[in-house]
Amino acid sequence: MDKILDSLKTLACKPLAQATAMPKGIYVSPEIHQREKDNIFYRDWICAGRADEIPNIGDYLTFDLCDQPLLLVRGSDNVIHARANVCLHRMMRLATGSGHTKKFTCPYHAWTYNIDGKLIAAAYMDRTTCFDRHNMQLPEIRCEIFHGWIYVTMNKEAVPIENLLVDLVPIIQPYHMEHYVTIFRHQHIWQTNWKHLTENFMEGYHLPVAHKNTVGAHFGLMDTTFDDRGSFDNFTYQTFTKSGTAPVGSAHPDNKTLQGKARFTSIMPTIFPTHMYVLAPDHLWYLSLQPMGVDRVSILYGAAIAPEVLAAQNDVDDYIAKTRAFLDDVQEEDRFVVENIFKGAQAPLSTSGPLSWLERENHEFTQYLARRLCSGR
Ligand code: FES
Ligand SMILES: [Fe+2]
């Protein structure tokens, strides 16, 4: 592990013009993965979905933060809370999927919790002298809402997400994505290391090639722009402007807030480590990654539509089905790429090659990982 981290640190200090992709050991080492859990996933803010998915008291979502299953619930105070999704009896996972409920009953011995995480019933425990139901509450972790996104962290000391992403706010604010309406949330598992997927999503270099049949068709690489303020510690992004012929990605005539070129411009932020989205004037779609070891990643994948676009549809269900089918095709194109890169990273003769200027964000991700993984050694 030390050798890999030394290479990562050396690479992170290089300017982009002299940078390569990360040392391949970083994608396949179990020791690195354990260090990622300790230094990244249990310390940084992780996106668990969108707040509009759970608008009512008693609505809930589930999300695994590496080895920690979480329950995101809109509590009786009408605020979203994140708690351990693990029973206080013999550690069974309490809930799966999402839905609406008045209580959570453990599927093992039926210990029952209210939506605020308090144990309210446990049968046949009357002879257990060390048991007092009134003291039992599911552990809670921090949960904050940022422009419609739910972020959670196990780190009590973490800087509030609003402060961490303050430099992103002027870029995303004009889109008012907090008002976009979520149309689906889906979870699937790919055979790859999570970092291949983060790196894949953040760069547009592959779009005209790997996505030539979908999102790459109306994409001009020379229209890519990066922030001329420089790079940021906790996120990166690029923008790209769609041509007027693109079927999606432009502001609807009823959108009166975006002006000029912004009406055709999309933003592609990556919030380190694992939250990526494409924010267009008419829709957004996102990924939030949940690593399941070095070789598997569970992907939370969803989309949301600008309200004026949804309101203009004659057949909303058909529109949603078509949008979903299109984005599923894009996902499938990415799955092919990132599963095969992971195979390449394990090949004896493979090496990490030099980056293009279009992969500026990949180098910024390298630098973020170096800050997190190489510190304290
Ligand atoms: S593990 Fe939940 S009730 Fe026994
Ligand atoms: Fe892609």
Side-chain angles (χ1 to χ4, degrees):
M1 179 171 78
D2 283 347
K3 213 171 136 206
I4 300 168
L5 292 180
D6 287 345
S7 312
L8 186 72
K9 200 170 175 181
T10 306
L11 173 59
C13 294
K14 291 185 176 175
L16 176 59
Q18 289 168 30
T20 65
M22 289 195 285
K24 62 185 192 174
I26 197 139
Y27 302 102
V28 296
S29 157
E31 292 82 23
I32 293 282
H33 184 58
Q34 184 57 48
R35 200 168 171 85
E36 287 170 348
K37 284 199 250 182
D38 296 338
N39 291 17
I40 294 176
F41 288 98
Y42 298 152
R43 290 190 48 193
D44 279 347
W45 289 96
I46 305 294
C47 177
R50 290 179 45 81
D52 79 320
E53 295 178 86
I54 44 176
N56 301 312
I57 290 172
D59 289 350
Y60 69 92
L61 300 169
T62 53
F63 182 84
D64 285 1
L65 179 39
C66 288
D67 298 327
Q68 179 59 61
L70 294 174
L71 195 49
L72 286 303
V73 189
R74 192 174 285 274
S76 56
D77 56 1
N78 204 18
V79 171
I80 297 174
H81 296 267
R83 298 192 181 90
N85 183 14
V86 179
C87 183
L88 298 173
H89 180 218
R90 278 173 44 210
M91 298 177 282
M92 175 66 184
R93 179 190 290 266
L94 268 179
T96 50
S98 58
H100 175 84
T101 192
K102 288 189 167 51
K103 60 190 183 193
F104 295 97
T105 300
C106 179
Y108 201 6
H109 313 94
W111 283 27
T112 299
Y113 304 81
N114 69 12
I115 57 168
D116 299 318
K118 287 190 170 55
L119 183 65
I120 53 170
Y124 306 106
M125 293 298 291
D126 48 315
R127 297 179 197 173
T128 309
T129 53
C130 66
F131 172 75
D132 178 5
R133 171 174 78 71
H134 302 95
N135 291 333
M136 301 190 78
Q137 164 91 36
L138 299 173
E140 182 162 358
I141 65 165
R142 290 175 63 192
C143 177
E144 293 182 1
I145 309 300
F146 176 80
H147 295 257
W149 299 104
I150 304 170
Y151 285 96
V152 294
T153 183
M154 309 259 279
N155 181 0
K156 291 188 175 74
E157 314 294 324
V159 173
I161 190 80
E162 183 88 38
N163 299 9
L164 216 61
L165 301 182
V166 68
D167 292 317
L168 183 62
V169 171
I171 312 301
I172 57 174
Q173 187 100 57
Y175 292 78
H176 300 288
M177 66 176 156
E178 65 278 13
H179 297 142
Y180 285 22
V181 181
T182 298
I183 56 167
F184 69 84
R185 171 192 177 98
H186 182 66
Q187 200 89 43
H188 48 215
I189 295 172
W190 290 356
Q191 305 298 318
T192 190
N193 182 267
W194 68 273
K195 296 183 293 298
H196 288 313
L197 191 43
T198 303
E199 293 179 300
N200 173 68
F201 198 96
M202 61 175 42
E203 51 93 350
Y205 189 21
H206 74 287
L207 292 187
V209 186
H211 297 296
K212 60 182 178 301
N213 296 323
T214 56
V215 284
H218 299 270
F219 189 83
L221 279 180
M222 293 310 286
D223 295 327
T224 305
T225 56
F226 299 104
D227 198 309
D228 49 22
R229 293 175 291 177
S231 60
F232 304 92
D233 282 355
N234 303 297
F235 71 91
T236 180
Y237 76 97
Q238 61 174 272
T239 65
F240 52 88
T241 303
K242 290 270 178 81
S243 68
T245 56
V248 291
S250 305
H252 189 273
D254 291 344
N255 178 331
K256 307 292 183 201
T257 51
L258 286 172
Q259 305 297 330
K261 196 176 160 192
R263 295 186 70 82
F264 305 95
T265 299
S266 297
I267 305 166
M268 222 160 67
T270 298
I271 316 304
F272 298 142
T274 45
H275 183 208
M276 289 90 65
Y277 52 97
V278 174
L279 173 57
D282 55 344
H283 73 283
L284 68 81
W285 63 285
Y286 73 96
L287 305 184
S288 179
L289 312 183
Q290 300 157 274
M292 302 172 76
V294 288
D295 60 348
R296 277 198 313 165
V297 58
S298 177
I299 302 158
L300 168 61
Y301 149 59
I305 304 294
E308 67 277 6
V309 175
L310 220 45
Q313 302 307 318
N314 292 327
D315 186 339
V316 171
D317 289 344
D318 181 62
Y319 174 78
I320 290 174
K322 282 187 178 137
T323 306
R324 168 77 190 263
F326 179 78
L327 292 174
D328 281 353
D329 288 346
V330 179
Q331 282 282 87
E332 194 52 29
E333 289 165 342
D334 279 327
R335 187 184 66 78
F336 170 73
V337 172
V338 298
E339 290 192 343
N340 280 291
I341 302 169
F342 185 59
K343 289 201 175 102
Q346 295 166 84
L349 299 183
S350 62
T351 50
S352 304
L355 297 179
S356 157
W357 63 271
L358 285 163
E359 295 169 297
R360 166 176 149 167
E361 291 164 286
N362 295 58
H363 194 46
E364 290 171 359
F365 183 51
T366 298
Q367 291 166 331
Y368 159 82
L369 288 172
R371 284 194 297 277
R372 289 293 186 275
L373 299 178
C374 301
S375 69
R377 289 198 307 139

